[in-house]
Amino acid sequence: MRLRTVLGAALAATALTAGLAGPAAASAGDTSDGASARASFTVWATDVNVRDNPGNPGACDAFPSPGNCPVVAGQLQPGQAFEAVCQKQGQNVSGNPWWVYITRGDSRGFIASYYVDHPDNQLPGVPVCGA
Protein backbone atom coordinates (compact mmCIF):
# COMPACT_ATOMS: atom_id res chain seq x y z
CA MET A 1 0.00 0.00 0.00
CA ARG A 2 1.37 3.39 -0.89
CA LEU A 3 2.29 5.87 1.82
CA ARG A 4 -0.30 8.43 0.67
CA THR A 5 -3.10 5.87 0.87
CA VAL A 6 -2.11 5.03 4.44
CA LEU A 7 -1.76 8.72 5.35
CA GLY A 8 -5.12 9.56 3.78
CA ALA A 9 -6.82 6.78 5.71
CA ALA A 10 -5.17 7.88 8.95
CA LEU A 11 -6.21 11.50 8.44
CA ALA A 12 -9.77 10.45 7.58
CA ALA A 13 -9.95 8.23 10.66
CA THR A 14 -8.63 11.05 12.83
CA ALA A 15 -11.19 13.48 11.41
CA LEU A 16 -13.99 10.93 11.83
CA THR A 17 -12.98 10.18 15.41
CA ALA A 18 -12.78 13.90 16.19
CA GLY A 19 -16.22 14.41 14.64
CA LEU A 20 -17.78 11.56 16.65
CA ALA A 21 -16.27 12.80 19.89
CA GLY A 22 -18.02 16.14 19.51
CA PRO A 23 -16.83 19.70 20.16
CA ALA A 24 -16.25 19.11 23.87
CA ALA A 25 -13.43 16.70 22.99
CA ALA A 26 -11.63 19.20 20.72
CA SER A 27 -8.05 19.86 21.76
CA ALA A 28 -6.00 23.03 21.64
CA GLY A 29 -3.96 21.38 18.86
CA ASP A 30 -6.86 21.13 16.40
CA THR A 31 -6.09 22.40 12.90
CA SER A 32 -8.39 24.59 10.82
CA ASP A 33 -9.36 21.65 8.59
CA GLY A 34 -10.94 19.77 11.52
CA ALA A 35 -8.23 17.09 11.93
CA SER A 36 -6.76 16.78 15.37
CA ALA A 37 -3.05 17.60 15.39
CA ARG A 38 -0.72 14.93 16.73
CA ALA A 39 2.32 17.18 16.63
CA SER A 40 2.25 20.85 15.74
CA PHE A 41 5.36 22.81 14.79
CA THR A 42 6.33 26.05 13.04
CA VAL A 43 9.10 27.00 10.59
CA TRP A 44 11.74 29.66 11.13
CA ALA A 45 12.49 30.48 7.48
CA THR A 46 10.57 32.46 4.86
CA ASP A 47 8.87 30.77 1.88
CA VAL A 48 9.48 27.15 2.98
CA ASN A 49 8.23 24.99 0.11
CA VAL A 50 5.72 22.21 0.76
CA ARG A 51 6.76 19.68 -1.89
CA ASP A 52 4.76 16.99 -3.68
CA ASN A 53 4.76 14.93 -6.86
CA PRO A 54 1.19 14.18 -7.98
CA GLY A 55 2.47 12.63 -11.22
CA ASN A 56 4.73 10.15 -9.40
CA PRO A 57 3.92 10.19 -5.68
CA GLY A 58 5.96 7.04 -5.08
CA ALA A 59 9.21 8.84 -5.95
CA CYS A 60 8.51 11.62 -3.47
CA ASP A 61 7.38 9.18 -0.77
CA ALA A 62 10.45 6.96 -1.24
CA PHE A 63 13.08 9.71 -0.96
CA PRO A 64 11.90 13.29 -0.36
CA SER A 65 13.96 15.83 -2.27
CA PRO A 66 13.39 18.78 -4.63
CA GLY A 67 14.09 16.45 -7.57
CA ASN A 68 11.66 13.73 -6.47
CA CYS A 69 9.05 16.22 -5.19
CA PRO A 70 9.21 18.98 -7.84
CA VAL A 71 5.73 20.48 -7.36
CA VAL A 72 5.40 23.25 -4.78
CA ALA A 73 2.00 22.61 -3.19
CA GLY A 74 2.27 25.60 -0.84
CA GLN A 75 4.65 27.65 1.24
CA LEU A 76 5.05 28.27 4.95
CA GLN A 77 6.13 31.50 6.59
CA PRO A 78 7.87 31.99 9.96
CA GLY A 79 5.58 31.21 12.86
CA GLN A 80 2.92 29.44 10.75
CA ALA A 81 1.82 26.24 12.46
CA PHE A 82 1.46 22.94 10.61
CA GLU A 83 0.66 19.36 11.56
CA ALA A 84 3.57 16.95 11.27
CA VAL A 85 2.03 13.65 10.09
CA CYS A 86 5.23 11.61 9.74
CA GLN A 87 8.92 11.99 8.88
CA LYS A 88 11.54 10.11 6.89
CA GLN A 89 15.06 10.52 5.62
CA GLY A 90 15.62 12.10 2.23
CA GLN A 91 18.03 14.56 0.62
CA ASN A 92 20.35 16.20 3.13
CA VAL A 93 19.58 19.91 3.62
CA SER A 94 22.30 21.78 5.51
CA GLY A 95 23.32 18.70 7.49
CA ASN A 96 19.78 17.46 8.22
CA PRO A 97 18.60 14.38 6.25
CA TRP A 98 15.04 14.35 7.70
CA TRP A 99 11.91 15.50 5.83
CA VAL A 100 8.47 15.94 7.35
CA TYR A 101 5.15 15.10 5.67
CA ILE A 102 2.86 17.93 6.75
CA THR A 103 -0.68 19.20 6.43
CA ARG A 104 -1.78 22.80 6.72
CA GLY A 105 -5.14 23.74 5.30
CA ASP A 106 -5.20 22.46 1.71
CA SER A 107 -1.41 22.05 1.55
CA ARG A 108 0.00 18.56 1.97
CA GLY A 109 3.49 17.37 1.21
CA PHE A 110 7.06 17.22 2.46
CA ILE A 111 9.18 19.99 3.91
CA ALA A 112 12.84 19.72 4.84
CA SER A 113 13.10 19.31 8.62
CA TYR A 114 16.01 21.76 8.55
CA TYR A 115 13.47 24.61 8.35
CA VAL A 116 11.35 23.46 11.30
CA ASP A 117 11.70 25.60 14.41
CA HIS A 118 13.08 22.76 16.56
CA PRO A 119 16.71 22.14 17.58
CA ASP A 120 16.87 18.42 16.68
CA ASN A 121 17.04 16.96 13.17
CA GLN A 122 14.33 14.38 13.91
CA LEU A 123 11.13 15.73 15.45
CA PRO A 124 9.88 14.33 18.76
CA GLY A 125 6.47 12.69 18.83
CA VAL A 126 6.31 12.34 15.03
CA PRO A 127 6.33 8.77 13.65
CA VAL A 128 8.60 7.62 10.85
CA CYS A 129 6.60 7.40 7.59
CA GLY A 130 5.64 3.83 6.72
CA ALA A 131 6.80 2.41 10.05
Side-chain angles (χ1 to χ4, degrees):
M1 187 182 294
R2 290 195 315 202
L3 172 65
R4 289 170 199 271
T5 303
V6 172
L7 290 175
L11 288 172
T14 301
L16 179 61
T17 302
L20 292 174
S27 71
D30 282 355
T31 60
S32 61
D33 64 3
S36 180
R38 289 181 293 227
S40 185
F41 295 92
T42 60
V43 295
W44 58 265
T46 302
D47 299 330
V48 175
N49 290 328
V50 179
R51 297 188 162 278
D52 198 4
N53 188 345
N56 186 3
C60 190
D61 293 344
F63 189 81
S65 68
N68 287 344
C69 313
V71 175
V72 176
Q75 289 187 322
L76 298 173
Q77 302 304 322
Q80 284 186 322
F82 62 86
E83 179 183 350
V85 176
C86 65
Q87 59 190 330
K88 73 177 311 171
Q89 290 191 20
Q91 181 176 326
N92 191 311
V93 176
S94 295
N96 186 340
W98 287 93
W99 287 66
V100 185
Y101 189 84
I102 69 115
T103 63
R104 184 175 197 291
D106 291 338
S107 294
R108 286 163 173 60
F110 281 98
I111 65 169
S113 186
Y114 171 76
Y115 299 110
V116 177
D117 197 11
H118 189 273
D120 298 326
N121 286 351
Q122 194 172 2
L123 301 178
V126 179
V128 174
C129 300

